[in-house]
Amino acid sequence: GVIENMSGFVCPKCQTETQIFPATTGGGEKLCQEMAVRFLGKLPLDPALMKCCEDGRPYLAGIHSHEDEDDLKAAIKAESAGQRALRRVVQDLKRELDDAVIAK
């Protein structure tokens, strides 16, 4: 899945959203359609996120307040569950292939 980063800037004073980097090719949603992967959401430019990255602190650990936080956490959990399931399938296939090679 894809999370579109830097998808706009919300002014902390007036709450106006500005597209600083407007999508010229359709953005993350179009990319996901072309690649047949899930679009998980958008992250705006967020000074709190940048500060967390610079300080090596986790963004979702309750050190900020962001209206999309619950949606982002849900998307991360869903994607993590999908990745775990895919990893199990790959591991099972690898075991089957290893067993087939050993049987020869």
Side-chain angles (χ1 to χ4, degrees):
V2 172
I3 296 176
E4 185 177 280
N5 192 21
M6 301 190 310
S7 67
F9 174 76
V10 179
C11 175
K13 300 281 187 199
C14 68
Q15 304 305 310
T16 299
E17 183 173 350
T18 303
Q19 296 300 316
I20 297 173
F21 306 110
T24 57
T25 59
E29 291 181 77
K30 183 176 180 199
L31 174 70
C32 288
Q33 291 171 353
E34 292 170 358
M35 297 183 69
V37 297
R38 282 184 16 181
F39 181 72
L40 301 174
K42 297 179 180 188
L43 281 177
L45 285 166
D46 184 342
L49 173 60
M50 291 184 282
K51 182 72 173 141
C52 288
C53 292
E54 290 170 359
D55 295 345
R57 294 183 298 164
Y59 180 65
L60 296 178
I63 58 174
H64 73 290
S65 175
H66 194 279
E67 65 219 28
D68 297 328
E69 183 176 348
D70 290 339
D71 292 340
L72 183 57
K73 283 181 179 179
I76 290 168
K77 280 184 180 180
E79 193 63 19
S80 296
Q83 289 173 348
R84 285 191 300 274
L86 181 58
R87 187 178 304 118
R88 283 192 298 272
V89 168
V90 169
Q91 289 169 343
D92 289 346
L93 287 172
K94 184 180 181 312
R95 272 193 293 277
E96 288 179 24
L97 288 172
D98 289 345
D99 290 346
V101 169
I102 291 171
K104 286 185 176 184

